[in-house]
Amino acid sequence: MNAEKRQQIFARLQAENPHPTTELNYSTPFELLIAVILSAQATDVGVNKATDKLYPVANTPQAIYDLGVEGLKSYIKTIGLFNSKAENVIKTCRILLDQHNGEVPDNRIALEALPGVGRKTANVVLNTAFGHPTIAVDTHIFRVSNRTGLAKGKNVDEVEQKLLRHVPKLYKQDAHHWLILHGRYICIARKPRCGACVIEDLCDFKDKQEI
Ligand code: SF4
């Protein structure tokens, strides 16, 4: 795919949704960090249902740490992998209190050192809480990037590196949200809704669907 096409793809996604953001509910970097940890292999809707009850009770590292693993589990038990997530969140809160004055660090190395935080989670927090032009490649972005030809790659790291190289600077900050939302609602896994897609004529996918 050439640069002109990439530019047009993002111009159209931007025209459709000028201010894209995450569908996770949060009001502080800490709330976002915990929501993203909880969202691994779970839906944003499911995470929001849990955090909508948890955050009014506990939304700081100290308050969640004070709940303890069992106390936290009672709020998140509807979310997949809640046992290991509860343990990771409590350990993360302890590290934030001990090493970062209770604040979420604004740097990749410190974020990735937190239990339950990998590259994707760090990218989401750096982008959405701190305004860095990172791109967190999840299953949706991986699929959309490969189908459209925006950034073809065999694994998420390859796609991330290509997107970072090729997404026009103007669009890099929001690219991650545009591509996730496009994958979640239009370029869906089983049967992409090509007939409703604003970038259909720019997309290289060979097996487009009518609806
Ligand atoms: S045209 Fe179809 S395959 Fe291409 S991005 Fe749109 S929905 Fe996805």
Side-chain angles (χ1 to χ4, degrees), residues 13-123:
L13 294 175
Q14 182 186 48
E16 199 185 38
N17 183 5
H19 304 292
T21 189
T22 176
E23 293 184 315
L24 290 168
N25 294 342
Y26 75 98
S27 58
T28 63
F30 176 72
E31 287 189 0
L32 177 66
L33 171 67
I34 300 306
V36 181
I37 293 174
L38 296 177
S39 74
Q41 295 177 49
T43 65
D44 288 1
V45 173
V47 172
N48 288 340
K49 271 193 193 148
T51 56
D52 286 351
K53 292 206 175 93
L54 170 66
Y55 289 160
V57 177
N59 71 340
T60 62
Q62 187 67 61
I64 289 187
Y65 184 79
D66 288 347
L67 288 176
V69 171
E70 292 308 316
L72 177 58
K73 277 186 195 173
S74 69
Y75 288 95
I76 66 168
K77 59 178 184 271
T78 51
I79 301 173
L81 308 175
F82 73 92
N83 283 311
S84 56
K85 286 175 182 174
E87 286 183 15
N88 282 336
V89 167
I90 294 298
K91 284 182 199 154
T92 284
C93 289
R94 188 69 256 164
I95 293 172
L96 293 179
L97 290 165
D98 289 346
Q99 299 177 19
H100 302 287
N101 294 321
E103 302 289 330
V104 177
D106 178 5
N107 80 75
R108 176 183 303 285
I109 291 171
L111 281 169
E112 288 187 14
L114 299 170
V117 178
R119 184 172 180 88
K120 182 161 70 82
T121 298
N123 276 335

Side-chain angles (χ1 to χ4, degrees), residues 102-175:
E103 302 289 330
V104 177
D106 178 5
N107 80 75
R108 176 183 303 285
I109 291 171
L111 281 169
E112 288 187 14
L114 299 170
V117 178
R119 184 172 180 88
K120 182 161 70 82
T121 298
N123 276 335
V124 174
V125 173
L126 289 170
N127 177 282
T128 306
F130 297 120
H132 295 279
T134 54
I135 299 178
V137 178
D138 70 348
T139 177
H140 298 300
I141 296 189
F142 183 75
R143 181 176 66 254
V144 172
S145 300
N146 273 293
R147 277 182 178 165
T148 55
L150 260 177
K152 286 184 180 279
K154 288 188 216 55
N155 54 52
V156 291
D157 289 340
E158 207 176 315
V159 169
E160 180 185 335
Q161 292 315 316
K162 283 194 182 171
L163 286 170
L164 288 173
R165 264 204 312 278
H166 296 309
V167 173
K169 203 168 169 208
L170 177 66
Y171 302 113
K172 220 170 254 178
Q173 175 67 39
D174 289 326

Side-chain angles (χ1 to χ4, degrees), residues 147-148 182 186-187 192-194 197 199-200 203 205 208:
R147 277 182 178 165
T148 55
H182 196 66
I186 302 292
C187 193
R193 300 175 55 215
C194 304
C197 177
I199 58 170
E200 184 181 7
C203 169
F205 191 48
K208 289 182 187 158

